[in-house]
Amino acid sequence: MDSLLPLGTAPRPATGDELAARLRDTLRDAGRGQVHGLDEARIEASLDGADVHSLELDLTGVAVGVPAQGSAAEAPSWEPDIVSRDEAVLRTLRLEAHPLTAVDLPVDLAAELQGVRFAWVAGADGSVGAEIVEPSEDSPVTGSARLAVSREGLAGTVRGLLTVALAGNGIQLTDFDLRIDQTGPRDAAIAIEASIKKGMFLSAKITATASAAVDAHMVLTVGDVQLSSGNPIVGALLGAVKGRVEAVAGQRIDLAEALPPGVRLTDVRLDVGDEIVVSAQLG
């Protein structure tokens, strides 16, 4: 979503209930045709002068990325001629969903942020809204987040997406297995075995493996990326992309550096069991 959030016509919301109602309308417009169940979502807000003391969004039961029948119209962007700004702070933002459905995967989500800076803005056309202000060292954002998905559900979603992708090329996915093993507090090994079939005569098993690890400095390293098949014909076809896939090995992504100056990632944790849980701490 854009850093500008439309909230209807002037004047700006004067009560928490009014802000919650306008936010629901904004989210509904932004997710037109792709987000369902927002009418049942719980949105509660309380104001303290210009500041928002707290904003709570419970998106349990909401489904994201499930297209409605027909093509969904794209929500118009809001680009007002801003005539005034009134700086404020969202002191506490709580977001949860138990669960929210993304595509067809139930996702359990809980997050809490403190110190989110924004500005109430007014447009020359009589519209009002909020403009998110990027955090800084002097005005940091703190908080935590936790995301969990079932191992079985994740495997099913990946299989479904892969089935659709292969079908577009006339390839049938006949078997699929996704394995994720925890190898450390922030480390995991990933293995995929898939069997494919094309026409009457071509069938093969494909194996893909990789590892991912986040170190104490919050740097993600992807390693051990391999793609192979025992079928020589399929192996030759994979050769066209194998180099690009295996080139991912050894890449390092500084997660902390990728965030704005006022958002400091202090810890990431991974727990793999019947659920795959990723948690993060900001401070």
Side-chain angles (χ1 to χ4, degrees):
M1 186 176 291
D2 201 309
S3 60
L4 281 172
L5 190 70
L7 293 171
T9 57
R12 74 186 190 212
T15 67
D17 288 346
E18 186 180 358
L19 174 58
R22 293 202 192 189
L23 279 172
R24 190 186 302 275
D25 290 341
T26 297
L27 292 173
R28 188 186 294 115
D29 288 343
R32 192 180 304 171
Q34 301 296 317
V35 181
H36 306 274
L38 278 173
D39 288 338
E40 304 303 319
R42 180 176 63 85
I43 304 177
E44 295 181 359
S46 63
L47 304 184
D48 183 7
D51 292 347
V52 179
H53 176 72
S54 65
L55 174 61
E56 299 186 15
L57 293 87
D58 185 343
L59 303 181
T60 300
V62 171
V64 180
V66 183
Q69 289 185 346
S71 57
E74 184 176 342
S77 60
W78 186 54
E79 300 175 350
D81 179 11
I82 296 176
V83 295
S84 69
R85 282 183 174 86
D86 188 4
E87 293 189 0
V89 176
L90 169 53
R91 296 176 190 165
T92 302
L93 169 64
R94 296 187 184 91
L95 173 64
E96 59 182 303
H98 309 294
L100 171 150
T101 301
V103 186
D104 62 352
L105 177 64
V107 177
D108 192 272
L109 174 66
E112 181 171 316
L113 298 177
Q114 290 89 31
V116 179
R117 295 172 60 234
F118 72 100
W120 297 105
V121 296
D125 59 356
S127 61
V128 296
E131 181 180 35
I132 307 302
V133 177
E134 187 171 284
S136 66
E137 293 287 357
D138 294 332
S139 301
V141 169
T142 60
S144 60
R146 178 186 183 276
L147 183 148
V149 299
S150 77
R151 181 199 292 261
E152 183 178 346
L154 178 61
T157 296
V158 174
R159 176 171 186 156
L161 293 173
L162 189 57
T163 297
V164 173
L166 292 174
N169 293 304
I171 300 173
Q172 180 184 358
L173 182 67
T174 58
D175 195 18
F176 177 87
D177 180 64
L178 170 66
R179 194 169 66 252
I180 302 176
D181 296 315
Q182 187 162 1
T183 55
R186 306 185 191 94
D187 310 345
I190 305 165
I192 294 175
E193 289 189 354
S195 296
I196 61 170
K197 181 179 180 181
K198 183 176 177 64
M200 293 289 294
F201 305 106
L202 180 61
S203 62
K205 178 175 286 187
I206 298 173
T207 300
T209 59
S211 65
V214 179
D215 64 21
H217 300 289
M218 300 297 106
V219 175
L220 169 65
T221 300
V222 179
D224 304 325
V225 180
Q226 297 182 19
L227 184 64
S228 61
S229 174
N231 184 302
I233 298 176
V234 174
L237 294 174
L238 291 176
V241 297
K242 185 177 179 180
R244 292 196 298 271
V245 171
E246 295 184 351
V248 174
Q251 286 194 1
R252 292 167 56 85
I253 302 171
D254 191 331
L255 301 177
E257 188 68 24
L259 297 172
V263 182
R264 190 163 64 91
L265 182 65
T266 58
D267 195 18
V268 172
R269 307 293 293 182
L270 172 69
D271 293 291
V272 178
D274 291 338
E275 284 191 322
I276 299 169
V277 183
V278 178
S279 55
Q281 194 74 34
L282 303 176

